[in-house]
Amino acid sequence: ASSLGAPTLSGLKPGGMGAGQGMEGAADESGAGLPRANVVPSTPSGDGITPLEVSVPGHYTNFKEAIEKYAPGGVGTIVVQTGEHRWENFLEISQNINVRGGSNAVLPGTLWMKKGSRGRMDTIEIAKESGSCIIFEGGSWSIESC
C-alpha cells in the first residue's frame, strides 16, 4: 500500500526566487507600465525554446491555458498579471509549477493540486468570492502572501 503524505505548506525565505527570476517593470504594447516575467531559455523543445517563466496574459491568453499547455521540462513559473483570471469549475494542476502574481492579480476559482504536483504560489489572491479554494489531493506546495 502506498502512503501519501500530507501536502507541505511552508513560507518562502525573502529573496527566495533566485537570481534572474524577479519581475521587472516593463511597458506593454500600449505603453502602460506592467510587471513582466524575465524569459529565461531552458531546454530546447522541438523547433523552439521553452521559457522557464511565462506570463498571463502574454505567452498564454489566460491562466487555464497556461496550466494546461505550459510544459517547461522542469519547474517553471507562470507570472499572473494584474486582474481577475477566471475559469469554469475547477482547474487541475498536476505538474511542477510556480505561480507568482503581479500587483492585484486574482485567481477566483477552485484549484485542485493533484498527486505528484509541487511548486510555489506567491503574492496572488486566491479566494475573492464564495466557492474559491485550493484542494490538495497530494503534492508539496509552498504558499505565501496569498
Side-chain angles (χ1 to χ4, degrees):
S2 68
S3 65
L4 292 176
T8 304
L9 299 176
S10 61
L12 298 174
K13 296 177 183 172
M17 289 184 214
Q21 292 184 351
M23 293 196 320
E24 299 175 349
D28 65 1
E29 292 173 2
S30 69
L34 294 174
R36 184 174 51 193
N38 292 328
V39 179
V40 182
S42 65
T43 57
S45 66
D47 295 354
I49 294 185
T50 303
L52 291 177
E53 285 190 359
V54 294
S55 62
V56 173
H59 294 90
Y60 296 97
T61 305
N62 57 58
F63 184 68
K64 183 177 189 289
E65 178 187 27
I67 290 296
E68 291 174 345
K69 295 182 178 178
Y70 181 46
V75 178
T77 299
I78 297 174
V79 179
V80 181
Q81 302 295 345
T82 300
E84 291 188 356
H85 302 270
R86 296 182 175 274
W87 59 89
E88 295 294 320
N89 299 317
F90 59 87
L91 183 58
E92 293 182 17
I93 298 180
S94 58
Q95 69 268 54
N96 298 336
I97 197 86
N98 297 320
V99 178
R100 187 172 66 242
S103 177
N104 298 314
V106 181
L107 297 176
T110 299
L111 296 172
W112 183 359
M113 306 326 205
K114 302 291 283 183
K115 293 177 189 174
S117 67
R118 57 179 267 187
R120 174 177 68 218
M121 297 194 82
D122 188 20
T123 61
I124 192 157
E125 186 176 343
I126 301 295
K128 182 176 178 155
E129 55 199 40
S130 176
S132 296
C133 68
I134 301 175
I135 299 168
F136 293 97
E137 180 180 302
S140 177
W141 287 88
S142 173
I143 298 177
E144 176 146 338
S145 300
C146 293

